[in-house]
Amino acid sequence: AQRVTQPEKLLSVFKGAPVELKCNYSYSGSPELFWYVQYSRQRLQLLLRHISRESIKGFTADLNKGETSFHLKKPFAQEEDSAMYYCALQTGANNLFFGTGTRLTVIP
Amino acid sequence: EAGVTQFPSHSVIEKGQTVTLRCDPISGHDNLYWYRRVMGKEIKFLLHFVKESKQDESGMPNNRFLAERTGGTYSTLKVQPAELEDSGVYFCASSQDTGRGTDTQYFGPGTRLTVL
């Protein structure tokens, strides 16, 4: 069965510091992985997906199949990055399986 | 372009009552999904429509939940009768069907349901 694990419920970093939000997955098939973000009083929105291999708002995430991880990284955190971040896995049926989320707080 | 909309934004009902949640997807999106986040837990898939057909309803918790999408446009999710454990935030999402698979899902703001 598929499973997404985000081990940190809360993460605080200082502005300008690097940030890494961890995500591990379990899935027997070929995974499609995503990071969704929910800013305060806004809806859940897609941040990035592994197949795009893009950098969005300075964030990157690399799929590591050996470690079954998809950690989200940014070299220099900004205050506006404070939000709830969800790692998600999409199966062939197009349904998303989410982790429990990590609340990131960037301290000025 | 309007995004996914959900109504109501918040509903407070008593145990045993009925509640109907509505979702209007982005125009032209054939795929419509319902998800739920119970407090402290992950967002969980409930079901998936392709147009008016239920593609996958494996996440529906029990037969107190009924989802419909008549005409393939908006969808409703009815909970009858509501129980305390149904409290949570219900999200709707929609996506196009490009035929390439893993189309981006766009989420609505959610409906917060509180069952007392």
Side-chain angles (χ1 to χ4, degrees):
Chain A
Q2 54 281 323
R3 185 178 181 87
V4 177
T5 303
Q6 293 180 251
E8 304 139 328
K9 283 192 173 179
L10 303 170
L11 181 64
S12 295
V13 299
F14 285 100
K15 178 182 172 181
V19 62
E20 181 180 52
L21 292 90
K22 291 185 169 52
C23 172
N24 288 87
Y25 68 91
S26 173
Y27 181 51
S28 58
S30 183
E32 297 286 352
L33 286 153
F34 302 78
W35 277 98
Y36 278 81
V37 60
Q38 188 169 24
Y39 301 102
S40 179
R41 298 189 196 88
Q42 294 188 29
R43 62 186 65 194
L44 200 61
Q45 57 186 281
L46 178 67
L47 180 62
L48 54 81
R49 51 195 299 174
H50 91 272
I51 58 172
S52 300
R53 302 186 67 82
E54 299 173 295
S55 173
I56 305 294
K57 299 185 178 182
F59 284 98
T60 58
D62 291 318
L63 176 61
N64 186 324
K65 291 187 177 181
E67 296 181 358
T68 59
S69 68
F70 188 57
H71 304 326
L72 183 68
K73 300 177 184 179
K74 184 170 182 176
F76 308 104
Q78 303 299 314
E79 289 179 64
E80 56 265 28
D81 295 330
S82 295
M84 193 75 179
Y85 291 81
Y86 294 94
C87 182
L89 180 152
Q90 191 162 11
T91 67
N94 283 337
N95 307 329
L96 287 169
F97 292 86
F98 287 88
T100 49
T102 298
R103 182 170 296 282
L104 173 67
T105 301
V106 180
I107 304 164
Chain B
E1 178 186 327
V4 177
T5 58
Q6 293 186 245
F7 182 83
S9 57
H10 193 180
S11 179
V12 180
I13 60 172
E14 292 190 349
K15 175 183 171 181
Q17 290 186 319
T18 298
V19 63
T20 300
L21 314 181
R22 174 173 169 142
C23 168
D24 286 77
I26 293 172
S27 177
H29 281 193
D30 287 340
N31 292 299
L32 188 150
Y33 306 83
W34 284 99
Y35 295 88
R36 175 174 75 169
R37 183 178 65 212
V38 172
M39 186 154 42
K41 302 205 171 173
E42 69 271 25
I43 300 168
K44 277 196 170 179
F45 165 78
L46 296 179
L47 88 159
H48 170 203
F49 283 100
V50 177
K51 296 184 181 178
E52 67 275 9
S53 300
K54 291 177 185 174
Q55 180 78 9
D56 183 350
E57 53 184 330
S58 60
M60 295 287 262
N62 52 61
N63 59 10
R64 294 186 293 102
F65 289 75
L66 175 64
E68 294 180 322
R69 193 182 181 195
T70 307
T73 54
Y74 70 92
S75 173
T76 57
L77 179 64
K78 181 191 286 188
V79 185
Q80 178 182 31
E83 298 289 345
L84 299 179
E85 63 264 25
D86 300 332
S87 295
V89 181
Y90 290 76
F91 294 100
C92 176
S94 72
S95 71
Q96 283 186 307
D97 188 1
T98 63
R100 295 194 299 267
T102 62
D103 299 309
T104 299
Q105 294 185 26
Y106 296 88
F107 281 77
T111 293
R112 181 175 296 278
L113 174 64
T114 303
V115 182
L116 302 176

